[in-house]
Amino acid sequence: MSRVARFAARDPGVAARITGFLAHLRAHGFGLGVAEAETALRALEHVCAADPEMTRRALKAVCAGSADEVTRFDEFYDAFWLNDGRVRLRVTADATSARSDLVRAPGVDEDRATGTATGRIESPDDGGGGETDAEGSGRLIASGRRNLMTTDLREVVSPADVAEAEAVAERLGRALRDHRSRRRKAARRGRAVDLRRTIRKSLGTGGEPLRLERRTRPDRPVRVTALCDVSGSMAVYARPFLAFLSGLMRADPDTDAYLFHTRLVRIADALRETDALRALNRLSLLADGFGGGSCIGASLDHFSRSYARRLVNGRTVVLILSDGYDSADPEEVGAALARIRRRGCRIIWLNPLKGWKGYEPVARGMAAALPHLDLFAPATTLADLAALEPELVRL
Amino acid sequence: MNDWRALQDGLAGQGYIAAPDLAMALHLSISLGRPLLLEGAAGVGKTEVARALAAAEGTRLIRLQCYEGLDAAHAIYEWNYQKQLLAIRAAAEDGETGTAVERRIFSEEFLLERPLLQAIRQPEAPVLLIDEIDRADEEFEAYLLEVLSDFQITVPELGTIAARSIPRVVLTSNGTRDLSDALRRRCMYAHVAYPDRETELTILHARAPEVEARLAAQIVGFVQAIRRERLEKVPGVAEMLDFAAAVGGLGVADLSTDPAVLHATMATLLKTEGDRAAIPPEVAARLVGRAA
């Protein structure tokens, strides 16, 4: 089906191609630098570089740095080295048969496709020869996904909101995290002198307490894990909530954040971006399905079985921002929360509807969730969130 | 250029069946002198890689188990205080001068080597396994980075100790927290997944050759089916081997004959009450039926 990409005769060589490939990966969010390019080249010396499968494994070991990147790597490798996207594209462009729709790469826009109808064999962008960049970018498959996104969160959240939300989030984050232990523990620097240990140590110096041992109350930082519902019914509240999440994230880099609608997406890495606007841009890429239906139960269930198992423990506060309107079985919500709860964490549910006069948690999903919550509070605006501070300190 | 296949065969000779991706990452990490970072669910055999590698290469395995609060004194070196005190006391009786005593008690004789220092001072390159690095604090991770890039350790009283040989470093992580990018970038990376049916059969055959082929296929099929169920703790390869040993020990020739025995042996696979309840004898029997 696919064959190894043919490079033009003017191609400057392996080094430039590897650099091009790494640039291609970098464009898709891999954190790679010059050092990796050098490692990749050295790695290729140790394998049979003519064998595409072996090269794939070697480059994968060098370039991928997480389980997620390992799964995505193959797609990018095919697109760049095996002319994968290119071959399919040429079929689309040349043949006007009904088959062309079936073989077209997903999400590739039309004008790109017709741009390749010249019949030339283009090499993927190798970063070295500037002449090929007009059509042959080799990035078509992955970047095509961008066109599927319907909602741009940049319209939902403005930088000013982010700044305000950050201030609130930071205060809340501090309220949640500042849990000092009640006990004191030996420490190099501390306010209290540890008499017992000082006397014990003084034995070594002939009974003279030459070194004072100290004690302090160790920090027991609490990690926040936030799950934000962005389904249709929550769309109006998405604006303050997302700003709030990014603020929370930037106040404490250990915070973990997820979006859910019909499925669960981890957005922690996107929000960790130092630049607020870029963070929101990356978020827009992830929020495919934004404003659609909601499967709270299924999303929470997925969370409890995957991420929660690794990342939620007794020092975690799970923060759920949702109105509790679920299209699926409400029992699932209760069961999932019970499972998360068993990990020893505390669960806070912030419901925008609770602020309404005469609100009763009658949404069946919400009713099923209530017995498992440590705190059930209203949150419609940033001001509401700020007002939560004293409650959170008591948790 | 086919070293990695040789490596894969070498590991297989030690009873470890490595997937091609893993073998390649291991080969590169050895050839380039870079640490190898292994991630994956518990029980897929991450720690076992280092053990098998050490055995295949005929070198020592030095293991550093990480835990919360692990510090330099436990990972790198520590002075043997008790011995120093005794030496001081003895020196006082012998009338030795202060500077001489000081020089003596801060010599290598009084230095306790911990795994990292031990690893770089071996005459022959050992395999250094840093297990569950995600459990250690971030400060320790940063220090580890420094050691792993320079392979030298500075002891203030003694001076800098350079590596006599560069150890082959294998780090494992269960992903309880995200590792720093700096550490990821220094390392070759391989993600270890649960083995597929074929690979698991080969593993079972390598580890327990006495299990006959038909039963082995049934055991592996059953365990693979159980992994697809929604469980809290998914059984790993080690659990599969325990299960095979339990089945073999009870002299069962066919899993489907006696549901009661099957249910009893499943204690080796399912380790929580919830999981036991999720797979009652009837479900287990059905899974066996499908696996056969």
Side-chain angles (χ1 to χ4, degrees):
Chain A
M1 172 203 92
S2 55
R3 58 219 159 93
V4 178
R6 273 199 270 159
F7 290 91
R10 61 175 180 280
D11 182 68
V14 181
R17 269 181 246 158
I18 291 290
T19 324
F21 179 57
L22 261 64
H24 168 65
L25 290 180
R26 209 176 300 129
H28 288 107
F30 282 55
L32 300 170
V34 181
E36 277 76 13
E38 194 205 326
T39 315
L41 279 172
R42 287 210 295 135
L44 288 184
E45 288 169 14
H46 292 277
V47 298
C48 171
D51 179 344
E53 280 316 299
M54 226 182 272
T55 319
R56 176 199 298 271
R57 289 190 185 119
L59 288 177
K60 194 192 277 182
V62 175
C63 298
S66 64
D68 174 46
E69 284 178 1
V70 166
T71 41
R72 284 159 67 213
F73 182 86
D74 283 340
E75 187 184 324
F76 298 132
Y77 183 89
D78 289 344
F80 191 90
W81 297 105
L82 296 181
N83 263 357
D84 194 344
R86 185 120 325 262
V87 171
R88 293 200 244 167
L89 264 182
R90 285 170 51 76
V91 174
T92 325
D94 296 342
T96 43
S97 66
R99 246 191 80 221
S100 65
D101 273 325
L102 296 174
V103 288
R104 190 191 305 161
V108 175
D109 42 350
E110 270 319 304
D111 49 309
R112 280 275 185 133
T114 44
T116 57
T118 48
R120 261 175 59 206
I121 294 174
E122 288 106 5
S123 59
D125 188 5
D126 49 22
E131 292 166 55
T132 51
D133 56 17
E135 305 105 315
S137 98
R139 291 180 195 143
L140 288 181
I141 287 197
S143 61
R145 297 188 61 167
R146 230 169 278 216
N147 296 351
L148 300 174
M149 310 305 167
T150 46
T151 317
D152 189 346
L153 292 186
R154 273 174 301 181
E155 292 158 19
V156 183
V157 187
S158 76
D161 282 334
V162 176
E164 195 187 331
E166 240 173 75
V168 173
E170 204 178 331
R171 273 220 313 282
L172 279 189
R174 215 180 295 136
L176 272 175
R177 281 185 295 116
D178 269 8
H179 283 248
R180 295 271 201 97
S181 169
R182 290 197 181 82
R183 285 159 206 81
R184 290 181 195 274
K185 193 182 125 186
R188 189 157 295 168
R189 275 181 291 268
R191 300 186 72 173
V193 173
D194 187 343
L195 280 177
R196 196 172 157 273
R197 271 163 47 91
T198 306
I199 301 292
R200 177 72 184 78
K201 277 269 155 106
S202 75
L203 290 183
T205 49
E208 293 290 334
L210 290 183
R211 262 183 60 192
L212 294 181
E213 297 294 319
R214 292 176 179 277
R215 293 192 305 170
T216 189
R217 288 171 59 182
D219 266 338
R220 292 267 183 267
V222 174
R223 265 171 60 156
V224 182
T225 297
L227 294 134
C228 182
D229 186 348
V230 288
S231 58
S233 54
M234 288 283 291
V236 266
Y237 307 105
R239 179 189 172 105
F241 282 180
L242 282 174
F244 175 70
L245 281 195
S246 64
L248 209 54
M249 195 71 179
R250 283 143 62 73
D252 175 16
D254 272 343
T255 306
D256 213 359
Y258 305 82
L259 289 184
F260 66 91
H261 29 81
T262 50
R263 61 196 177 84
L264 185 80
V265 193
R266 185 167 187 217
I267 53 171
D269 292 327
L271 286 180
R272 209 166 280 151
E273 194 83 58
T274 39
D275 183 72
L277 267 184
R278 274 188 64 184
L280 290 171
N281 281 354
R282 284 185 64 177
L283 212 55
S284 326
L285 287 178
L286 292 167
D288 148 32
F290 183 78
S294 63
C295 297
I296 303 177
S299 300
L300 288 180
D301 188 59
H302 175 60
F303 174 73
S304 73
R305 288 178 190 283
S306 53
Y307 299 105
R309 214 175 262 178
R310 297 192 279 116
L311 301 168
V312 172
N313 57 26
R315 293 188 196 159
T316 313
V317 173
V318 177
L319 193 66
I320 301 170
L321 302 155
S322 170
D323 56 7
Y325 281 121
D326 197 349
S327 52
D329 183 12
E331 287 311 310
E332 220 179 339
V333 177
L337 283 176
R339 204 172 305 115
I340 297 174
R341 188 75 190 279
R342 267 214 301 278
R343 304 201 61 84
C345 61
R346 276 154 297 171
I347 304 180
I348 303 177
W349 190 306
L350 301 180
N351 189 335
L353 303 185
K354 201 191 175 205
W356 293 8
K357 210 177 189 176
Y359 169 80
E360 291 289 331
V362 286
R364 288 184 310 154
M366 201 64 246
L370 273 183
H372 305 286
L373 304 182
D374 292 277
L375 177 66
F376 179 51
T380 318
T381 59
L382 275 182
D384 285 350
L385 287 172
L388 280 176
E389 192 181 337
E391 303 263 357
L392 296 184
V393 177
R394 264 189 283 127
L395 262 184
Chain B
M1 283 298 167
N2 265 330
D3 293 350
W4 72 280
R5 287 216 187 277
L7 183 70
Q8 202 177 15
D9 293 344
L11 291 176
Q14 298 301 324
Y16 190 91
I17 312 299
D21 278 2
L22 173 61
M24 175 59 88
L26 200 54
H27 164 60
L28 284 179
S29 101
I30 293 172
S31 322
L32 302 180
R34 291 288 191 92
L36 173 68
L37 172 63
L38 296 177
E39 271 188 332
V44 291
K46 298 186 292 292
T47 307
E48 210 53 35
V49 175
R51 229 184 280 275
L53 179 66
E57 305 255 315
T59 55
R60 274 190 71 184
L61 174 71
I62 296 175
R63 177 173 176 169
L64 172 65
Q65 171 70 47
C66 296
Y67 51 86
E68 199 179 330
L70 176 70
D71 57 2
H74 286 105
I76 303 159
Y77 73 91
E78 195 171 21
W79 289 107
N80 190 341
Y81 297 114
Q82 289 89 342
K83 205 174 165 190
Q84 281 177 332
L85 278 177
L86 285 176
I88 293 170
R89 185 63 61 83
E93 284 171 12
D94 295 350
E96 210 176 335
T97 64
T99 43
V101 175
E102 198 181 318
R103 207 175 307 127
R104 199 155 65 80
I105 64 168
F106 286 116
S107 65
E108 301 219 353
E109 194 194 336
F110 293 87
L111 193 68
L112 289 177
E113 286 181 351
R114 300 295 190 203
L116 285 183
L117 183 61
Q118 205 183 354
I120 69 165
R121 293 182 69 182
Q122 298 293 317
E124 259 181 66
V127 174
L128 171 63
L129 168 67
I130 301 174
D131 217 358
E132 307 192 339
I133 173 73
D134 50 331
R135 286 184 196 275
D137 312 322
E138 271 160 49
E139 295 80 24
F140 179 74
E141 197 182 307
Y143 189 86
L144 190 66
L145 261 181
E146 197 190 314
V147 175
L148 291 185
S149 58
D150 299 344
F151 287 108
Q152 60 178 33
I153 287 169
T154 303
V155 180
E157 297 88 350
L158 267 186
T160 300
I161 300 174
R164 287 168 75 181
S165 61
I166 304 289
R168 280 150 201 180
V169 186
V170 177
L171 301 108
T172 74
S173 160
N174 283 335
T176 50
R177 72 178 167 84
D178 285 344
L179 299 177
S180 74
D181 278 353
L183 186 72
R184 283 184 190 280
R185 290 188 56 185
R186 287 263 344 135
C187 299
M188 296 288 134
Y189 179 87
H191 185 261
V192 189
Y194 288 111
D196 58 21
R197 201 187 160 90
E198 294 304 310
T199 317
E200 196 157 21
L201 262 177
T202 327
I203 295 172
L204 180 57
H205 184 66
R207 287 304 184 86
E210 72 280 0
V211 179
E212 58 165 308
R214 212 181 73 83
L215 182 61
Q218 216 174 19
I219 289 172
V220 169
F222 178 61
V223 173
Q224 298 249 334
I226 281 202
R227 282 198 195 121
R228 282 192 292 273
E229 296 292 309
R230 297 157 75 84
L231 296 177
E232 282 167 43
K233 297 263 182 294
V234 182
V237 178
E239 275 92 345
M240 185 274 292
L241 291 172
D242 285 349
F243 178 61
V247 169
L250 289 172
V252 179
D254 188 332
L255 287 183
S256 53
T257 45
D258 193 347
V261 172
L262 175 67
H263 193 65
T265 48
M266 272 170 51
T268 54
L269 290 176
L270 305 174
K271 308 281 177 74
T272 71
E273 198 194 339
D275 287 352
R276 293 282 290 184
I279 310 214
E282 307 83 63
V283 176
R286 187 165 48 81
L287 290 177
V288 168
R290 224 186 287 153

